[in-house]
Amino acid sequence: MSQKILVAYFSASGVTERAAKQIAAAVGGDLYEIRPAQPYTDADLDWTNKQSRSTREMKDPACRPAIAGGVADMDAYDAVFVGFPVWWYVEPRIVDTFLESYDFTGKTLIPFATSGGSGIAGAEKSLRAHCPAANWKGGKLVRGDAAAWAKGAL
């Protein structure tokens, strides 16, 4: 029996989106964009501004930005790749919103991230804490190798 795979991703600048599309094509998965109900502006994403929306969200571990739309039938998926840019050494809070919106008990979850310099280890620890009942596989910080990695990640 083949697995039904979802590639869920949040992308602020398009980099993670490109990786997600490569992964979906490589594994035959469906794509789902984790889109904020209130889209981020360039000013919102200015991490050097202590008052920017992204900075305020990341300073508040309880922050859960609203998502526009949802996955139509999450129960149908056996495995979910979860992609995001690394913000402040972890996943953006909107990814936490996504993870807390569904029951991933027994599902295989595989994180992937994009980053200019940070690793994925902090995010992996955080993700596991949000969904301890999921079957987490090791994640990867992807650059140009997303498709090749994804095939072996399942």
Side-chain angles (χ1 to χ4, degrees), residues 68-118:
V71 177
D73 187 10
M74 184 61 81
D75 290 341
Y77 293 99
D78 304 299
V80 181
F81 283 85
V82 181
F84 51 88
V86 175
W87 287 5
W88 286 262
Y89 305 101
V90 295
E91 73 284 358
R93 302 291 183 223
I94 194 165
V95 174
D96 298 340
T97 304
F98 171 76
L99 291 174
E100 293 171 1
S101 296
Y102 301 96
D103 180 4
F104 291 103
T105 302
K107 291 189 184 293
T108 298
L109 270 64
I110 307 148
F112 68 96
T114 56
S115 173
S118 301

Side-chain angles (χ1 to χ4, degrees), residues 13 29 31-32 37 47 56 63-64 71 73 76 78 106 113 134-135 137 148:
S13 66
L31 273 174
Y32 167 73
W47 60 272
R56 290 191 322 267
C63 180
R64 296 294 179 269
V71 177
D73 187 10
D78 304 299
N135 173 24
K137 297 266 184 147

Side-chain angles (χ1 to χ4, degrees), residues 1-5 76 78:
M1 181 174 96
S2 63
Q3 289 189 3
K4 184 147 172 78
I5 301 166
D78 304 299

Side-chain angles (χ1 to χ4, degrees), residues 9-21 33 45 85 114:
Y9 69 93
F10 167 69
S11 186
S13 66
V15 174
T16 306
E17 179 179 28
R18 283 190 295 280
K21 287 179 177 178
E33 182 180 2
L45 297 171
T114 56

Side-chain angles (χ1 to χ4, degrees), residues 46-68:
D46 181 3
W47 60 272
T48 63
N49 177 350
K50 294 184 187 313
Q51 297 307 313
S52 74
R53 178 176 160 200
S54 60
T55 300
R56 290 191 322 267
E57 288 177 0
M58 295 309 292
K59 284 185 177 181
D60 179 3
C63 180
R64 296 294 179 269
I67 294 174

Side-chain angles (χ1 to χ4, degrees), residues 3-4 22 34 39 43 68 125:
Q3 289 189 3
K4 184 147 172 78
Q22 291 172 4
I34 302 168
K125 182 178 178 183

